[in-house]
Amino acid sequence: MAEESGPVTFPAGFFWGAATAAYQIEGAWDEDGKGESIWDRFAHRAGTIKGATTGEVACDSYHRVDSDVALMRELGLTSYRFSIAWPRVQPDGRGAIEQRGLDHYRRLTDALLGAGIRPLPTLYHWDLPQALEDAGGWPARDTAERFAEYAAIVTGALGDRIEQWATFNEPWIFTRLGYLAGIHAPGRTDAAAYLRATHTVNLAHGLATRAMKAANPALRVGCAYSVSPAIPASDAPEDHAAAEAFHAYANRWFLDPALHGRYPENALAGELPLAAMGYRDGDDRIMRTGLDWAGINYYFHLVIRDAPTDDGALRFRFATVDRNQHPRTDFGWPVNPDGLRAILLRMWRDCGGIPLEITENGCSYHECPGDDGRIRDERRIAYVRGHLSAVAQAIDDGVDVRGYHHWTLTDNFEWAEGTTQRFGLVHLDPHSLARTIKDSGRWYAQVARTGLLS
Ligand code: FCB
């Protein structure tokens, strides 16, 4: 546990947020001209999602902009991280624009601004237009061009009122789970496709950043990375080197290209498979754009030892070790706030001192309403208190952390887990979709309003 010594005051202007993603909350999956996404297609396929649920309705947030923004105010939020569904804006992922889709996000943005809440949009939180997947998906180089076109459309429409943007959410996770492991959309298990997908995403980030800044140089563009600190399993130098290699592969594969135009050399056991990735001369210049800020999504650490392994696509010099000494959430994820402080220090160094924000951190606990309707989720309060304390310590250590976004606002559609995992500060009744603020939400509101963690 992170050390807790007396009340902690966060800097004035620190952003208190919550994070969501379009497919996980919006519903309205085929309304107002929206095109089909890979998640629509995947979730409709039998056997992909626990309980055979889909995001067709989810939290119905598409139809509840005003009441959800009112809820955010009750929670004391000063920032709201949401994602834009590409197929709402460009149903086929290229060409024609669906104005009603853009209008939805303009309405949401204006409601947030009116409530004194900063909108922090992510352009891609995993819902690729199905038409683009049919044309090859992320493994196809052309998807990078399509993404840049889409980014320019969205920032052209909203860049006058939103300054700070994230291009992608967790590039490492969606390329791996979607193209290699096959447990997320589009459900492919093709090692070669996975490798190419990672490179296309790095090109897409570079092209989109340039397109956005060409339209409006004042925009601040970053990306939200999934990160796990790699703890060496022992003091042996081999385990330390293995942990460094894991860090390079899991935490820097999408960071180094944006900052330096190259992939981390020590990530793999052998040579970088640049040819298999579809790398061309000059790609370093496309990828290297710098970052104005970086988003940190932290859920858990990993313990790493030296061992030769492979994932079907790549050969590694590391293996993960059980983390049984840590308490677990109801999802089975280890709870380790110290890991957040450690990865903030490390990312701060690796990012060269750019501003960081926690773009996601949270826990799935299943507490439901008691007879009086109250949701007593003390475990979530303890989790958030520990992690905020770790953030405060990192700030004390000199890391420029500007905000914290709890994952998530309301219980929602948790990808392949369907509705079996509950991450919200707000309880969602699965039938009526009624929202009830949990004890953790009330506690978080207090912290957000006072900037004080006691
Ligand atoms: C992250 C995702 C987010 C949510 C949380 C629990 O990896 O970015 O959409 O599923 O995990």
Side-chain angles (χ1 to χ4, degrees):
M1 270 301 265
E3 221 173 280
E4 288 173 48
S5 50
V8 174
T9 311
F10 279 82
F14 187 82
F15 284 108
W16 296 100
T20 63
Y23 188 71
Q24 294 181 273
I25 64 162
E26 285 181 352
W29 74 287
D30 63 351
E31 272 180 53
D32 289 345
K34 176 178 165 293
E36 187 188 21
S37 80
I38 55 173
W39 269 94
D40 294 319
R41 177 72 62 92
F42 184 72
H44 285 143
R45 197 190 303 158
T48 54
I49 313 290
K50 274 193 192 153
T53 42
T54 71
E56 278 185 20
V57 177
C59 308
D60 191 37
S61 303
Y62 188 76
H63 297 120
R64 299 177 192 222
V65 168
D66 292 336
S67 51
D68 277 350
V69 172
L71 193 62
M72 293 176 214
R73 284 200 67 164
E74 255 190 278
L75 290 172
L77 301 192
T78 53
S79 178
Y80 177 53
R81 174 172 179 245
F82 60 97
S83 82
I84 293 172
W86 185 349
R88 282 200 194 285
V89 173
Q90 273 186 308
D92 293 327
R94 66 176 76 237
I97 299 172
E98 174 51 76
Q99 195 55 45
R100 289 171 294 178
L102 278 177
D103 287 347
H104 168 73
Y105 296 108
R106 192 175 283 129
R107 225 171 19 249
L108 172 62
T109 300
D110 288 346
L112 290 167
L113 292 172
I117 301 170
R118 174 190 64 162
L120 179 61
T122 301
L123 287 169
Y124 186 82
H125 200 130
W126 306 357
D127 42 2
L128 186 72
Q130 180 63 43
L132 288 187
E133 177 58 29
D134 294 342
W138 284 111
R141 194 177 168 98
D142 179 60
T143 304
E145 306 277 350
R146 302 281 64 75
F147 181 72
E149 180 182 283
Y150 155 67
I153 293 167
V154 176
T155 47
L158 299 173
D160 59 338
R161 49 198 93 181
I162 303 178
E163 186 196 21
Q164 188 170 328
W165 296 78
T167 51
F168 288 99
N169 180 68
E170 300 190 347
W172 192 61
I173 298 292
F174 80 79
T175 50
R176 260 177 60 241
L177 300 192
Y179 290 94
L180 183 64
I183 57 172
H184 277 189
R188 288 166 65 178
T189 48
D190 176 342
Y194 157 65
L195 270 183
R196 288 198 310 278
T198 67
H199 187 52
T200 309
V201 170
N202 279 317
L203 294 171
H205 174 83
L207 290 173
T209 301
R210 280 198 190 80
M212 293 160 80
K213 294 202 176 200
N216 183 349
L219 300 184
R220 298 183 57 239
V221 183
C223 183
Y225 299 100
S226 58
V227 291
S228 284
I231 316 291
S234 78
D235 286 340
E238 295 78 13
D239 285 342
H240 276 263
E244 273 304 305
F246 176 85
H247 176 70
Y249 175 57
N251 301 333
R252 287 173 39 209
W253 194 260
F254 296 88
L255 179 69
D256 285 24
L259 292 177
H260 311 298
R262 57 171 189 267
Y263 288 91
E265 288 286 343
N266 62 332
L268 307 175
E271 296 274 295
L272 291 173
L274 292 178
M277 290 161 63
Y279 189 97
R280 295 184 191 162
D281 273 355
D283 282 357
D284 54 333
R285 289 193 298 278
I286 298 177
M287 298 192 295
R288 187 178 52 230
T289 52
L291 291 165
D292 297 314
W293 68 284
I296 300 295
N297 290 7
Y298 171 73
Y299 290 95
F300 46 71
H301 69 288
L302 286 159
V303 180
I304 302 295
R305 69 183 169 87
D306 174 44
T309 55
D310 75 88
D311 69 2
L314 298 167
R315 289 188 301 111
F316 307 112
R317 65 187 75 169
F318 52 74
T320 53
V321 174
D322 270 353
R323 297 154 292 175
N324 288 334
Q325 72 279 28
H326 289 273
R328 307 243 168 184
T329 67
D330 289 345
F331 203 162
W333 292 359
V335 178
N336 177 12
D338 283 337
L340 177 53
R341 181 186 185 179
I343 197 65
L344 280 170
L345 284 165
R346 182 61 198 264
M347 294 298 284
W348 167 248
R349 198 173 94 200
D350 289 354
C351 288
I354 57 175
L356 305 181
E357 296 205 26
I358 310 298
T359 32
E360 284 182 30
N361 170 245
C363 47
S364 171
Y365 289 125
H366 296 158
E367 282 83 354
C368 283
D371 290 342
D372 56 358
R374 202 171 132 191
I375 298 110
R376 294 171 171 79
D377 57 339
E378 289 300 323
R379 295 187 293 169
R380 182 170 286 99
I381 295 176
Y383 179 100
V384 184
R385 181 184 277 122
H387 286 79
L388 283 176
S389 166
V391 173
Q393 287 169 3
I395 295 174
D396 270 356
D397 294 336
V399 182
D400 184 5
V401 190
R402 306 227 172 144
Y404 173 90
H405 297 81
H406 189 71
W407 184 272
T408 180
L409 182 63
T410 58
D411 299 335
N412 59 35
F413 177 84
E414 178 49 36
W415 308 115
E417 296 292 312
T419 50
T420 63
Q421 302 299 337
R422 295 180 164 270
F423 276 90
L425 293 167
V426 177
H427 177 265
L428 183 83
D429 182 290
H431 307 292
S432 67
L433 304 185
R435 281 97 157 118
T436 309
I437 298 180
K438 300 178 188 178
D439 281 4
S440 59
R442 303 211 175 279
W443 175 86
Y444 189 65
Q446 181 70 14
V447 178
R449 289 208 180 94
T450 57
L452 203 71
L453 186 67
S454 53

